[in-house]
């Protein structure tokens, strides 16, 4: 696999296409001196060195990794044309690709019918789902778990609907008992379930929530921005299939190809089970919708301009890594195996404690310390800092701020001498984490032992 070779091919293909349209002069105003351009490119490279090495398995922190070379080649090929997927006039080819990849996502989630599109992010995708939810149940609110992404409460504010946080169980899953009580008040129109929380990768009991919501005539939206592609692994290696299978019976779902779909940023997706929700997007655009009576994606999207390149990148990636168990699923499975094995190593470690057993690919842990929250917090912060500032052998982790009550439910023996404690958190979203795991574990253990 050679990125340079693929990119050369992309540039050659582009030259072949552009040459068909005949000679023209590039405007004087746009010309730059080649030597100067190259020197500024080098200056940029220098500035970009101020980054963490997201590509390397020694970066085991947040949900960050570079796109796959296939996505880069696909993005570049389309970006050279720069189609706008707002309207078919802006780029018929990539609009079709968008519809194809969205259909593949719908199949992945088991949606029979669907209406959906790519978005610039999971946040915007969730906003669209909550906007439709509000239009369907005007005057009723939205409930989400206390562990759901922070943007749900914010978007409820934006949409002027009441947001209600539902309590979670000891593992951080939405508590069906607490939800039943909230639904009993009769003020909620939509429940947001999370398939893979951002903090710990916890999957809400979607199957139980759907059953409860149907009793109450309430919509269910699945925020699978981070975890969605793990549905490809449902029922394998101890991953409980029930919540994932239940997504097929939900009203809408969001997934972020820019997290686990090997894409560069700028690629979320929202899907609705009922294509008739398209009516809530109805508008006219006097300048853009001419060339076809076919649906323009801008007619079913809150955003106007969107990069056709994002669709092309995902389309090319899915040709090589289809959203199936053997395709993209194999990429996610390696990270999940690495997380499970690391949890085991941590449980047998003298220097580390496991915070919570991982369900997907997020591992949470903290250095062995005196059993009080302030000590856990200080030790975790020290390992984070010393790891990333070590010049010779750095390791990049992240921290999760846990509340005293949540911490206490998992580790009752610790004195709550502070309101919160940071614990260490590693998202093992690169499949290379599996091969590198022993090195990573030894490195983190050594840092923890120093305290
Ligand atoms: C990342 C994430 C979001 C937000 O998505 P962005 O693409 O970062 O805007 C929403 N929900 C969950 C569960 C996430 O993990």
């Amino acid at each position: 696999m050679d990125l340079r070779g693929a990119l050369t091919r992309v540039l050659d293909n582009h030259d072949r296409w552009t040459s068909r349209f005949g000679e023209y002069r590039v405007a004087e105003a746009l010309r730059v001196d080649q030597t100067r351009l190259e020197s500024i490119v080098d200056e940029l490279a220098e500035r970009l060195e101020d980054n963490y090495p997201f590509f390397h398995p020694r970066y085991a922190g947040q949900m960050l990794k570079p796109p796959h070379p296939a996505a880069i080649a696909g993005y570049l090929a389309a970006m050279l044309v720069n189609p706008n997927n707002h309207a078919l006039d802006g780029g018929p080819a990539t609009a079709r690709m968008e519809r194809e990849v969205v259909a593949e996502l719908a199949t992945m989630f088991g949606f029979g019918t669907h209406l959906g599109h790519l978005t610039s992010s999971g946040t915007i995708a969730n906003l669209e789902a909550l906007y439709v939810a509000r239009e369907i149940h005007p005057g009723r609110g939205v409930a989400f778990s206390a562990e759901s992404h922070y943007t749900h409460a914010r978007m409820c504010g934006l949409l002027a609907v009441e947001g209600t946080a539902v309590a979670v169980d000891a593992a951080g899953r939405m508590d069906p008992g607490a939800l039943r009580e909230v639904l009993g008040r009769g003020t909620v129109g939509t429940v947001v379930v999370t398939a893979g929380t951002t903090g710990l990768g916890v999957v809400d009991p979607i199957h139980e929530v759907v059953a409860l919501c149907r009793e109450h005539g309430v919509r269910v939206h699945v925020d699978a921005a981070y975890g969605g592609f793990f549905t490809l692994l449902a029922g394998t290696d101890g991953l409980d299939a029930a919540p994932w299978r239940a997504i097929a019976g939900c009203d809408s779902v969001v997934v972020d190809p820019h997290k686990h779909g090997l894409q560069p940023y700028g690629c979320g997706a929202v899907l609705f089970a009922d294509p008739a929700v398209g009516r809530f997007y109805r508008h006219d655009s006097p300048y853009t919708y001419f060339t076809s009576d076919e649906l323009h994606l801008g007619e079913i999207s809150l955003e106007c301009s969107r990069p056709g390149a994002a669709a092309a990148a995902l389309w090319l990636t899915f040709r090589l890594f289809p959203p199936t168990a053997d395709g993209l699923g194999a990429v996610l499975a390696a990270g999940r195996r690495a997380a499970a094995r690391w949890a085991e190593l941590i449980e047998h470690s003298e220097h580390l404690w496991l915070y919570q057993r991982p369900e997907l690919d997020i591992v949470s842990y903290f250095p062995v310390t005196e059993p009080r929250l302030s000590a856990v917090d200080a030790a975790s912060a020290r390992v984070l800092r010393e790891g990333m500032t070590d010049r010779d052998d750095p390791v990049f982790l992240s921290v999760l701020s846990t509340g005293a009550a949540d911490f206490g439910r998992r580790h009752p023996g610790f004195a709550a001498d502070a309101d919160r404690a940071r614990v260490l958190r590693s998202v093992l979203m690169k499949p290379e984490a599996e091969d590198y795991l022993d090195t990573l574990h030894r490195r983190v253990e050594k840092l923890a032992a120093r305290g």
Side-chain angles (χ1 to χ4, degrees), residues 48-56 59 62 64 388-389 396:
L48 288 175
E49 279 178 24
D50 185 16
N51 256 311
Y52 304 107
F54 306 126
F55 69 96
H56 198 283
Y59 181 88
Q62 313 270 18
L64 290 160
M388 61 197 269
T389 52
F396 304 88

Side-chain angles (χ1 to χ4, degrees), residues 63 121-123 126 149 151-152 194 196 198 223 225-226 256 258-259:
M63 283 167 197
S121 68
T123 301
N126 278 317
H149 199 266
T151 49
H152 293 293
T194 306
T198 317
D223 181 0
Y226 149 68
D256 262 355
H258 70 202
K259 280 185 181 144

Side-chain angles (χ1 to χ4, degrees), residues 141-150 152-153 156 161-168 173-175 178-183 185 187-188 190-192:
V142 172
F144 37 78
S145 98
E147 292 289 320
S148 70
H149 199 266
Y150 74 91
H152 293 293
C156 283
V161 304
E162 191 188 0
T164 304
V166 179
V168 294
R173 296 187 199 96
M174 182 182 275
D175 177 0
L179 178 64
R180 182 184 290 280
E181 198 223 291
V182 168
L183 294 183
R185 297 175 205 160
T187 55
V188 168
T190 300
V191 172
V192 176

Side-chain angles (χ1 to χ4, degrees), residues 95-117:
R96 260 172 236 127
M97 288 177 207
E98 176 162 344
R99 292 171 72 166
E100 286 170 36
V101 294
V102 167
E104 287 186 81
L105 292 173
T107 303
M108 177 178 85
F109 288 118
F111 275 25
T113 55
H114 75 276
L115 184 83
H117 57 274

Side-chain angles (χ1 to χ4, degrees), residues 169-429:
D169 67 13
R173 296 187 199 96
M174 182 182 275
D175 177 0
L179 178 64
R180 182 184 290 280
E181 198 223 291
V182 168
L183 294 183
R185 297 175 205 160
T187 55
V188 168
T190 300
V191 172
V192 176
V193 281
T194 306
T197 56
T198 317
L200 292 169
V202 166
V203 182
D204 280 339
I206 303 174
H207 49 304
E208 292 173 44
V209 171
V210 169
L212 269 176
C213 287
R214 293 310 173 224
E215 278 174 37
H216 289 83
V218 164
R219 278 176 77 79
V220 186
H221 168 62
V222 187
D223 181 0
Y226 149 68
F229 289 105
F230 282 99
T231 195
L232 301 171
L233 307 180
T236 67
D237 285 337
L239 186 62
D240 182 12
W244 301 100
R245 302 271 184 264
I247 294 177
C250 294
D251 298 290
S252 52
V253 59
V254 157
V255 62
D256 262 355
H258 70 202
K259 280 185 181 144
H260 259 306
L262 308 175
Q263 300 307 293
Y265 284 117
C267 194
V270 61
L271 287 87
F272 298 93
D274 178 8
V277 301
R279 68 188 183 278
F280 299 118
Y281 287 95
R282 192 161 294 149
H283 67 281
D284 196 19
S285 170
Y287 3 82
T288 48
Y289 302 147
F290 312 113
T291 47
S292 164
D293 291 334
E294 236 185 285
L295 183 75
H296 300 266
L297 286 160
E299 293 178 277
I300 54 156
S301 165
L302 288 186
E303 294 176 87
C304 180
S305 294
R306 290 177 308 108
L314 188 56
W315 179 87
L316 180 52
T317 306
F318 276 178
R319 290 298 298 271
L320 293 160
F321 301 93
T324 58
D326 304 339
L328 193 54
V331 179
L332 278 81
R336 189 163 173 266
R337 280 194 304 268
R341 195 156 76 78
W342 198 11
E344 239 173 72
L345 291 174
I346 290 170
E347 281 188 314
H348 292 103
S349 168
E350 277 172 54
H351 304 295
L352 294 168
W353 268 317
L354 194 63
Y355 177 68
Q356 171 165 327
R357 191 167 291 282
E359 193 169 351
L360 301 180
D361 59 2
I362 303 179
V363 187
S364 52
Y365 51 97
F366 52 94
V368 169
T369 58
E370 282 174 54
R372 49 187 175 81
L373 262 59
S374 61
V376 170
D377 183 78
S380 298
R382 179 188 62 76
V383 168
L384 175 78
R385 191 180 58 247
E386 289 181 4
M388 61 197 269
T389 52
D390 190 308
R391 276 189 159 271
D392 302 320
D393 191 11
V395 62
F396 304 88
L397 312 171
S398 75
V399 287
L400 174 74
S401 173
T402 66
D406 290 328
F407 191 100
R409 285 166 100 170
R410 292 164 176 89
H411 301 279
F414 282 66
D417 65 339
D419 293 340
R420 310 193 68 80
R422 281 167 290 181
V423 298
L424 293 160
R425 165 177 171 273
S426 289
V427 185
L428 301 184
M429 70 186 324

